[in-house]
Amino acid sequence: GAGVSQSPSNKVTEKGKDVELRCDPISGHTALYWYRQRLGQGLEFLIYFQGNSAPDKSGLPSDRFSAERTGESVSTLTIQRTQQEDSAVYLCASSSGTLGNEQFFGPGTRLTVL
Amino acid sequence: TQLLEQSPQFLSIQEGENLTVYCNSSSVFSSLQWYRQEPGEGPVLLVTVVTGGEVKKLKRLTFQFGDARKDSSLHITAAQPGDTGLYLCAGERGAGNMLTFGGGTRLMVKP
């Protein structure tokens, strides 16, 4: 596809379960970002991948959160032992990594932890 | 404290009014971007400013990058209900470096 895709679009899970969220970036984009957005709030940076460099994990809120990226393609965000405060929309974005690079966002995954 | 501070956080105005949203930082940015996000969707880029003092216009929207490249403003003339949404500024400090987003300004334009 032409844009960033994310799956699933919605995920409802029980407290304590693990979840995996997937992001397919635009082909050729070296940079990939994950953000969390709580209802009515701005974007909260989680993690940043740029090419083959070590990812910037400075935004991950706890060790229950982790993310991987295979080369310059798919990324998976994993949340272990989910808590109710994890409920939010998780947005993925990719960019070309050049100066003034535009971030292209996916539609997000809405996570609800019961 | 966020690297990029946006103000106001919320703004509710009547159709036809003018407004200005501010994005301020103590850091210098190589570029500054403005995004708009509508409910249920991801943010979409409106404009990128690169040169200090640069002014860009997009129909009724005017974007300005501060001379020192530390701040930016978005001015909307004669706001329309279709302008309703979350406006986000994002700064970049060098090519290939991570974009940093401000906290956003939630705008509601009432008919």
Side-chain angles (χ1 to χ4, degrees):
Chain A
V4 177
S5 60
Q6 293 185 243
S7 61
S9 54
N10 282 284
K11 176 70 176 179
V12 180
T13 190
E14 294 179 348
K15 178 182 173 181
K17 300 282 190 182
D18 298 351
V19 295
E20 280 190 357
L21 312 180
R22 177 186 170 108
C23 173
D24 285 85
I26 292 173
S27 177
H29 278 186
T30 59
L32 187 148
Y33 304 74
W34 283 98
Y35 298 93
R36 180 169 67 182
Q37 187 173 36
R38 292 200 166 96
L39 185 64
Q41 303 295 312
L43 301 183
E44 178 186 0
F45 165 72
L46 296 178
I47 189 168
Y48 165 56
F49 296 90
Q50 172 59 32
N52 294 319
S53 302
D56 181 339
K57 304 179 181 180
S58 60
L60 294 178
S62 78
D63 59 7
R64 296 187 296 104
F65 288 72
S66 63
E68 293 183 349
R69 187 180 186 192
T70 307
E72 293 185 351
S73 60
V74 172
S75 177
T76 302
L77 176 69
T78 301
I79 308 173
Q80 296 178 309
R81 305 181 302 283
T82 53
Q83 303 294 313
Q84 288 184 332
E85 62 263 27
D86 299 334
S87 296
V89 174
Y90 290 82
L91 290 163
C92 172
S94 72
S95 73
S96 63
T98 56
L99 181 65
N101 66 105
E102 174 181 358
Q103 287 199 17
F104 292 84
F105 284 82
T109 293
R110 181 174 298 278
L111 175 66
T112 303
V113 182
L114 301 177
Chain B
T1 302
Q2 287 196 307
L3 185 63
L4 277 168
E5 297 285 344
Q6 281 189 243
S7 61
Q9 288 184 306
F10 302 97
L11 191 55
S12 180
I13 60 173
Q14 293 295 133
E15 180 177 2
E17 292 184 11
N18 302 331
L19 68 118
T20 302
V21 176
Y22 298 94
C23 178
N24 295 303
S25 176
S26 58
S27 298
V28 175
F29 293 99
S30 53
S31 73
L32 199 294
Q33 300 177 3
W34 283 92
Y35 290 77
R36 184 170 80 190
Q37 184 181 24
E38 298 189 24
E41 301 180 4
V44 175
L45 180 70
L46 294 173
V47 76
T48 301
V49 285
V50 179
T51 307
E54 182 176 3
V55 177
K56 282 192 174 180
K57 292 192 175 185
L58 186 66
K59 296 183 181 178
R60 292 176 293 99
L61 278 60
T62 302
F63 304 85
Q64 185 163 7
F65 201 11
D67 291 342
R69 290 184 289 128
K70 293 182 179 181
D71 52 79
S72 181
S73 64
L74 158 61
H75 183 79
I76 301 179
T77 303
Q80 303 294 310
D83 296 329
T84 293
L86 177 67
Y87 289 82
L88 296 154
C89 66
E92 178 188 30
R93 291 188 287 178
N97 288 340
M98 190 178 71
L99 274 182
T100 302
F101 277 85
T105 294
R106 191 163 297 278
L107 171 66
M108 177 174 288
V109 182
K110 300 175 183 177

